[in-house]
Amino acid sequence: MKKLFYFASAALLLAACSDDNETPDGPTPPPAPVPENFEVISFEPAEGMIAIDGEPVTLGTIEVVGGMAGGTHANCFWAKPYAELFGDPDGVMGLTIDVPLFSDAAGAVWFGSYYCDCSGWGSVMDSWGGFALSQNSDMTSATFDYANQFSVYAPGGANSTKTFAMAYCNGMMGGEYSNPVIDFVPAREVDHLYMAAATMAYTFYTHSTSAPKDRTCGYTVIGSADGEETGRVDVKLVEAGEVVDDWVKVDLSALGRVDRITFEPMGFNPNADMDPAYFCIDEIALVKE
C-alpha cells in the first residue's frame, strides 16, 4: 500500500511592539519570536490530502444507497469509491473495505475507514464507519434524519477552516476501522485536537421523541503504543440533553507518545441505544520533532 502524508506546518507567531508602549527607559523592546511547536493536520484538500491510491483527495457529491440512510450529500469524501480497488468482494456481508483510507502527503498519519455494500443480506444497502471528510454545516435543521449524517453542528470547520473529518462509530459491523481510528507511523505526541458534535446529534436530542432528555455523553479518546494503552481522555459533547454548538479544544498531551488513537462512545451504547454515534474532528496538533 502506498502511504503518503502531509503535515501543514503552523505559521510562526510573531509579536510586534507598539510605539505607544514605553517604559521609563524608552520603548518596550519586542519579545523574541516564539516558534510554533506543532504540526497541524487541518484536512484541507488544497494542503495535499492523499487517498489510499496515492491520488489527491477530491470532495464531491456522494450517494448513500438503501434504507433510512439513503440520500445524496455534496462536498464529501468516503470509502465507497475505493471498495472495488482495495476491498474484499467476498466479504460475509458483501463487498467490504476496511483500511487506513487517507492521509496527508508525508504518509505518517492515517485515518481509517470502513464500507460495506451489505449485498450479502440480499440487496445493496451502503454502510460506513470510521472517518470520512466533509465541508457541510447545519445548525438549523428541525428534523432528525440521515440527511445530515455528514454535517457538523458548528459554523464550519475548526478555526475557520472548511474541511473536517466526519466520524461514525459503526460498532455493529465489526471491522478494525468501523470505529474511528487514527494510526501514526512512526509514533507521535498529539498535543491537542478539536472535536464537535454532529448535526445528527443536535437533531436527535432536540427533536426526536426517542431521545433521553437528560443524556450527558460524548466520546473517549484512547491512546496506545505497541498495543498497550497509554491513557484516556473523555470529551463531553452533550450535557443533560444540550448539545455543544461549536468546536471544543481537547488536550491530549497526557496520552504521551502514541502509534494509535481510537474514539469510543461515552455515556451511551450505540448498539443498544438510539443515540446517533456521529461526531467531528479537526485541527490535530502534533508536537514537532
Side-chain angles (χ1 to χ4, degrees), residues 60-125:
T61 299
I62 67 173
E63 181 181 9
V64 181
V65 175
M68 295 185 299
T72 57
H73 307 269
N75 304 316
C76 292
F77 170 88
W78 69 330
K80 182 177 179 178
Y82 302 89
E84 291 189 4
L85 290 174
F86 301 101
D88 178 8
D90 301 317
V92 174
M93 293 178 290
L95 176 62
T96 302
I97 184 171
D98 183 31
V99 295
L101 181 65
F102 61 93
S103 73
D104 279 359
V109 183
W110 283 83
F111 298 84
S113 194
Y114 175 94
Y115 165 82
C116 180
D117 70 4
C118 297
S119 58
W121 292 346
S123 61
V124 172
M125 183 177 68

Side-chain angles (χ1 to χ4, degrees), residues 105-242:
V109 183
W110 283 83
F111 298 84
S113 194
Y114 175 94
Y115 165 82
C116 180
D117 70 4
C118 297
S119 58
W121 292 346
S123 61
V124 172
M125 183 177 68
D126 293 337
S127 180
W128 74 281
F131 287 110
L133 294 174
S134 177
Q135 294 179 343
N136 296 301
S137 167
D138 188 341
M139 303 184 72
T140 61
S141 182
T143 304
F144 173 63
D145 61 43
Y146 286 87
N148 288 309
Q149 67 175 296
F150 293 97
S151 293
V152 64
Y153 186 58
N159 299 328
S160 301
T161 60
K162 291 180 61 177
T163 311
F164 56 89
M166 194 78 217
Y168 174 46
C169 299
N170 189 347
M172 294 183 66
M173 305 308 288
E176 181 178 2
Y177 296 102
S178 57
N179 282 317
V181 173
I182 306 175
D183 289 324
F184 300 86
V185 187
R188 295 292 297 268
E189 292 182 58
V190 184
D191 184 81
H192 65 270
L193 53 73
Y194 287 81
M195 292 181 66
T199 304
M200 287 278 289
Y202 165 72
T203 56
F204 177 73
Y205 295 111
T206 306
H207 303 301
S208 174
T209 58
S210 301
K213 300 306 179 185
D214 60 348
R215 178 84 84 202
T216 294
C217 60
Y219 297 87
T220 300
V221 187
I222 306 169
S224 61
D226 297 324
E228 298 292 329
E229 185 175 313
T230 63
R232 295 179 171 230
V233 174
D234 291 338
V235 184
K236 286 192 293 186
L237 295 178
V238 181
E239 181 88 41
E242 295 292 325

